[in-house]
Amino acid sequence: MRDPDAPPVHLQPLSLLLVFAGGAFGTLARFGAEEWAATRVPGWPWATWAVNIVGSLILGALMAGLAAAGPDTGVRQRIRLLAGVGFCGGLTTYSAFAGEVVARIDSGDLAIAIVYAALTIVACVAAAAAGHRLGVVWGARRRGSPS
């Protein structure tokens, strides 16, 4: 139970620090992926596509695994803030995805824009679902019960 005199979680200094730190590492990981792909994989925006899918997988697994492990308090809450909100929030990027779709539309590549948008959405939802399933299985194994 939350202390009624304590500020809400999103205003607590430790929470803000955890989100900031996780976001910094997630952003650095995305930057590294973008830099690597820029020199090796021209054309399709592979780096943005990949980080969004990987982030969806991680977030699905993390949220399901943490939920299976118990209430969103203590260390589970800190892991969620650091890895889920911070790292996955910094790693994934809706703005770059949207910008890449618009850039393809502006350059006359409407078909590629539609395919890219649709594949991104389908792949990210599938990755989140797969991650969720992994998290459920992990949580069930930790509890010693069947999944």
Side-chain angles (χ1 to χ4, degrees):
M1 169 141 270
R2 187 174 90 74
D3 177 0
D5 296 328
V9 171
H10 70 279
L11 296 178
Q12 294 175 11
L14 177 59
S15 297
L16 296 172
L17 180 63
L18 290 168
V19 172
F20 175 79
F25 284 108
T27 301
L28 287 172
R30 182 179 74 232
F31 176 76
E34 294 285 349
E35 287 294 304
W36 179 86
T39 61
R40 290 171 180 81
V41 190
W44 186 269
W46 289 106
T48 301
W49 196 68
V51 297
N52 284 339
I53 293 168
V54 169
S56 296
L57 177 74
I58 293 169
L59 193 57
L62 183 68
M63 294 297 105
L66 290 173
D72 186 37
T73 58
V75 74
R76 284 182 298 279
Q77 185 178 70
R78 290 189 290 277
I79 291 169
R80 177 181 59 82
L81 291 170
L82 177 70
V85 177
F87 181 79
C88 288
L91 176 67
T92 61
T93 172
Y94 178 78
S95 60
F97 161 66
E100 289 163 349
V101 171
V102 169
R104 276 148 186 81
I105 292 169
D106 288 347
S107 69
D109 294 326
L110 182 60
I112 291 175
I114 291 169
V115 168
Y116 174 62
L119 283 177
T120 298
I121 292 166
V122 169
C124 287
V125 169
H132 182 270
R133 183 66 186 145
L134 290 171
V136 167
V137 168
W138 175 80
R141 286 192 176 145
R142 286 198 63 210
R143 289 188 316 272
S145 63
S147 58

